[in-house]
Amino acid sequence: MKVLIVGAGPTGLTTAVELARRGLLPRIVDRRDSASTLSRAVGVTSRSLELLSYSGVSEKLIAEGIAVQSACIYLNTHLALEFPLHSDRTYFPAILGLPQDRTEALMAQVLSGMGVEVEYRKELKTLTEEKSGVVAFFDNGEEERFDLVVGADGIRSTVREAAGISYPGFDLEEVWSIADVDTGDWPPRRKFTLVKMESGVVAVAVPLGEGRHRLVASCDNAIKAFPMAVDVKRVRREGTFKISIRQAETYSKGRIHLAGDAAHCHSPVGGRGMNLGIADAAELAKRITEGQLLGYSELRHQEDKKVIEVTERGRKMITGQSLKARFEFRALIAAASSIPAVRRKLGQFAVEL
Ligand SMILES: Cc1cc2nc3c(=O)[nH]c(=O)nc-3n(C[C@H](O)[C@H](O)[C@H](O)COP(=O)(O)OP(=O)(O)OC[C@H]3O[C@@H](n4cnc5c(N)ncnc54)[C@H](O)[C@@H]3O)c2cc1C
């Protein structure tokens, strides 16, 4: 079977690794000049590590990443709650902090060992589906027929557009900011930190490695957003972004299948974007090799929808300014700080989500 994967982000790479592991060597193309250097996703969940363990990717990720031990929640400068990010019931007991570019590099390394190289500087222009296959048209004029095409080409997916699959949802007005920084004494090294300000602004620090953090805030300056002094030694990258919450109406149409951001996007609250893409990809690859593609769309659409809904509830509770949102957030903090079982459950939930 000839399979084309469009996009060599974490979703496309996982699809390729999982297909190759099962003996089906796909073609994987990306329009970028070379591997990405962007650190976008910073938390690899236990579920992703489990899915990537069969190919040997996980052991490389774990060797390079940093296990995030606990979460600290501040109300302004006051530490209101700290709970362990731990579960005994999962493949990996914590959340692994690792920048996305390293996750992708290690996936590509394993893929290369299996005999598949990413073809960079190759952009898919469009697709036409015929009875006997899907014809892919590339920017260099090349065209080729495939039995199956996987659209792992991100939010503005060409594959999704060519297949005529709609991507309903909405875009938030607010601007968020992000900064990857080398740090000294604060924020804490192995802890996830969330600060909720009276103004409604939320600022988050996630450890990326020894002495390195990702800062994110629901305003236009992630470093200045913190009410306490962040010990910044060097700014590696800063920027702003907007959030969209969308999900494709279906993930499959004929011989074309979507996975990852091409199929869904949501807020970074909960850090699930890349991880959902890895789960879509592992399921899709398994079904391709087992000839069980019927049901892929329904299963993953449902699973992803649940996570998008939980993530949205979390985003509204954390950033919401309504009386209800403030009450819910404070009630959760009060319950968790006084009841050890609630603290434990919170940490388990975050690791198992
Ligand atoms: C600022 C920021 C912070 C984030 N933080 C987190 C986080 O903490 N945790 C988390 O889980 N997620 C996070 N995410 C989301 C995460 O980065 C995405 O969910 C993840 O990258 C999706 O992976 P993907 O492989 O589906 O798509 P992408 O990573 O977007 O990869 C798609 C690839 O397709 C290629 N491509 C596109 N069109 C074509 C074409 N026509 N032909 C050939 N190639 C093409 C692109 O060049 C790209 O390499 C964050 C995102 C952003 C922007």
Side-chain angles (χ1 to χ4, degrees):
M1 188 192 290
K2 276 180 71 179
V3 176
L4 171 68
I5 299 168
V6 185
T11 305
L13 288 166
T14 302
T15 315
V17 164
E18 284 301 290
L19 286 176
R21 181 173 76 80
R22 292 177 155 87
L24 199 167
L25 303 188
R27 265 185 86 181
I28 173 165
V29 301
D30 199 295
R31 67 178 170 204
R32 287 189 314 234
D33 288 346
S34 59
S36 171
T37 53
L38 296 177
S39 64
R40 299 188 292 169
V42 292
V44 188
T45 61
S46 171
R47 180 73 188 126
S48 295
L49 291 170
E50 187 176 356
L51 292 169
L52 294 167
S53 64
Y54 311 107
S55 58
V57 169
S58 293
E59 59 186 85
K60 290 180 186 290
L61 301 182
I62 291 167
E64 220 177 275
I66 183 166
V68 184
Q69 288 166 345
S70 65
C72 298
I73 300 192
Y74 289 80
L75 296 175
N76 296 306
T77 51
H78 165 65
L79 177 60
L81 175 67
E82 178 166 1
F83 57 93
L85 287 171
H86 181 86
S87 171
D88 288 328
R89 304 187 295 207
T90 47
Y91 170 83
F92 188 70
I95 292 171
L96 188 76
L98 187 67
Q100 186 170 325
D101 54 330
R102 288 307 303 154
T103 299
E104 293 179 17
L106 295 170
M107 285 175 167
Q109 206 183 83
V110 169
L111 184 63
S112 175
M114 293 171 163
V116 180
E117 299 294 337
V118 176
E119 298 173 48
Y120 287 109
R121 293 203 188 105
K122 194 170 261 290
E123 180 172 356
L124 177 85
K125 283 302 189 189
T126 193
L127 295 168
T128 53
E129 192 169 0
E130 299 170 356
K131 262 203 177 132
S132 58
V134 188
V135 183
F137 298 86
F138 297 100
D139 57 344
N140 60 354
E142 187 195 328
E143 52 179 86
E144 191 172 340
R145 184 181 301 273
F146 293 89
D147 297 308
L148 201 143
V149 172
V150 176
D153 50 344
I155 283 191
R156 286 176 215 20
S157 168
T158 307
V159 174
R160 190 182 64 231
E161 199 171 299
I165 299 172
S166 68
Y167 199 43
F170 54 94
D171 308 312
L172 298 177
E173 271 306 306
E174 64 211 43
V175 173
W176 286 56
S177 50
I178 185 167
D180 280 357
V181 292
D182 290 351
T183 44
D185 289 340
W186 203 92
R189 298 219 152 180
R190 287 179 179 260
K191 296 178 182 181
F192 169 91
T193 304
L194 184 146
V195 185
K196 184 166 164 76
M197 266 74 76
E198 205 52 58
S199 62
V201 169
V202 171
V204 166
V206 189
L208 287 178
E210 290 302 334
R212 192 175 161 194
H213 280 85
R214 151 73 53 82
L215 310 178
V216 182
S218 61
C219 64
D220 62 5
N221 190 319
I223 300 173
K224 290 194 180 145
F226 287 82
M228 52 284 266
V230 182
D231 187 3
V232 175
K233 302 285 182 210
R234 174 186 163 206
V235 179
R236 289 173 180 250
R237 179 182 161 241
E238 333 181 53
T240 56
F241 65 98
K242 282 190 159 192
I243 295 171
S244 298
I245 294 104
R246 295 181 174 272
Q247 190 173 23
E249 55 172 334
T250 176
Y251 289 10
S252 301
K253 199 162 178 188
R255 295 169 179 271
I256 298 171
H257 303 276
L258 303 177
D261 278 15
H264 46 75
C265 59
H266 55 83
S267 87
V269 171
R272 293 307 312 277
M274 176 184 76
N275 294 287
L276 283 190
I278 291 172
D280 294 340
E283 181 68 26
L284 182 56
K286 177 171 165 281
R287 285 173 174 267
I288 291 172
T289 51
E290 291 175 355
Q292 296 283 345
L293 279 160
L294 209 67
Y296 162 72
S297 176
E298 287 73 14
L299 179 82
R300 287 310 310 166
H301 193 282
Q302 227 173 49
E303 293 289 310
D304 295 342
K305 189 163 184 267
K306 273 190 243 161
V307 175
I308 294 169
E309 283 169 0
V310 171
T311 303
E312 263 305 275
R313 276 209 299 280
R315 181 188 67 79
K316 284 179 186 156
M317 188 172 72
I318 290 168
T319 62
Q321 280 294 75
S322 68
L323 271 179
K324 181 170 174 274
R326 285 170 185 234
F327 174 78
E328 280 178 359
F329 188 75
R330 291 206 174 241
L332 181 69
I333 301 285
S337 52
S338 54
I339 309 170
V342 176
R343 281 202 293 281
R344 212 169 39 246
K345 279 254 172 252
L346 258 183
Q348 255 178 8
F349 177 73
V351 173
E352 292 171 11
L353 182 67

